[in-house]
Amino acid sequence: MSEIKSDTGPNLPHPADDEIQLAKVLFALSDPGRLELVRQLQEAPLEAARCHLTDPEIPKSTKSHQMKVLREAGVIRNEPHGRGRLLSLRREALERRFPGLLEAVLGAL
Amino acid sequence: MSEIKSDTGPNLPHPADDEIQLAKVLFALSDPGRLELVRQLQEAPLEAARCHLTDPEIPKSTKSHQMKVLREAGVIRNEPHGRGRLLSLRREALERRFPGLLEAVLGAL
DNA sequence: CTCATGGTTCGAATATAGTTGAACTATCGG
DNA sequence: CCGATAGTTCAACTATATTCGAACCATGAG
């Protein structure tokens, strides 16, 4: 056991709060599959392996790609967690940057 | 002069209020150029010829295409007006369908 | 009617995005 | 250490979007 944060580990790059761009966020959310994933993170962070229940046939590489688009847009965080990954919504960052946006998107039918 | 609405005229198709889809709206707004156009319609409707798309060098066919994407998504209305077209934001429809969304997007820096 | 203005549409080229298998990496349990 | 699990990355392919010239169409002015 070690408390040292492994630099060599699978720590993926995330944009800083103030680097999050509106256009990229809107684009990331403009896909039904990605939007669905975001909805699943509404209540609480989720292990990647536990979401996307709707389509169990999707290859993991495809799923990984969708997570990447959301992560690079600054919509979700993707961190190591046990032998998998923990996905979470970047609520605070998005709210600070684009107040009301996430709520409006998630609130829609 | 005639009060008859010409059916043969350039009346373009618009989605009905309840046919407006979130994903398409978000996609339409995810382009900086289109977003800029939408911002110009914030205050009041505008003749298409009067809204300069940041780049004055943009060919009219390209500009027409951008208007089409926004129109088909249900973001703007595009109606005949004199020898040109009048563009307007579909505020009410968007507000009814996705409350707060437009405000959040336009309010962003 | 004719012309200039302001736009739409079409088609072809280009650019960007999505999909997927295979190879690779990290972690945990035994 | 080994195998299983979970996910990323890469490369090739397919699909969708964007761009823009050229042709076309409607309106208003003269």
Side-chain angles (χ1 to χ4, degrees):
Chain A
M1 128 161 187
S2 163
E3 292 301 328
I4 301 168
K5 286 177 184 171
S6 65
D7 265 351
T8 58
N11 287 315
L12 303 171
H14 293 72
D17 286 14
D18 61 344
E19 287 171 353
I20 298 178
Q21 290 171 248
L22 180 60
K24 287 189 179 178
V25 170
L26 295 177
F27 180 79
L29 296 175
S30 73
D31 175 79
R34 289 192 294 256
L35 190 52
E36 168 62 21
L37 209 177
V38 169
R39 283 190 201 283
Q40 293 181 18
L41 300 178
Q42 226 180 328
E43 295 302 328
L46 220 55
E47 295 166 58
R50 305 283 176 277
C51 29
H52 238 235
L53 311 156
T54 40
D55 243 319
E57 308 270 320
I58 293 179
K60 52 185 182 175
S61 55
T62 300
K63 187 173 162 184
S64 187
H65 169 70
Q66 304 285 45
M67 293 191 285
K68 181 180 184 179
V69 173
L70 287 166
R71 171 176 53 82
E72 291 182 335
V75 177
I76 67 173
R77 213 175 340 236
N78 180 339
E79 311 167 291
H81 180 70
R83 62 184 159 258
R85 320 278 313 174
L86 187 69
L87 304 183
S88 54
L89 251 183
R90 292 184 64 177
R91 281 189 171 282
E92 347 64 39
L94 291 169
E95 184 59 24
R96 223 173 335 234
R97 200 99 177 68
F98 314 117
L101 179 61
L102 193 59
E103 185 187 17
V105 170
L106 293 178
L109 171 62
Chain B
M1 128 169 187
S2 165
E3 292 301 328
I4 302 168
K5 287 176 184 170
S6 65
D7 264 351
T8 57
N11 286 316
L12 303 171
H14 293 72
D17 285 14
D18 62 343
E19 287 170 353
I20 298 178
Q21 290 170 246
L22 179 61
K24 288 188 179 178
V25 170
L26 295 177
F27 179 80
L29 296 175
S30 73
D31 176 79
R34 289 192 293 257
L35 190 54
E36 169 61 23
L37 210 177
V38 169
R39 282 189 202 285
Q40 294 180 18
L41 300 178
Q42 228 180 327
E43 296 301 329
L46 220 55
E47 295 166 57
R50 305 286 174 277
C51 34
H52 46 69
L53 265 271
T54 43
D55 217 334
E57 312 255 324
I58 294 178
K60 51 185 183 175
S61 56
T62 299
K63 188 173 164 185
S64 186
H65 169 71
Q66 304 284 46
M67 294 190 285
K68 182 180 184 179
V69 173
L70 287 166
R71 171 176 52 82
E72 291 182 335
V75 177
I76 68 173
R77 208 168 344 211
N78 179 340
E79 312 167 290
H81 180 67
R83 62 185 154 246
R85 320 280 311 176
L86 187 69
L87 304 184
S88 54
L89 251 184
R90 292 184 64 176
R91 280 189 172 283
E92 346 64 38
L94 290 170
E95 184 59 24
R96 226 176 328 239
R97 202 100 175 66
F98 315 116
L101 178 62
L102 193 60
E103 185 187 17
V105 170
L106 293 177
L109 174 60

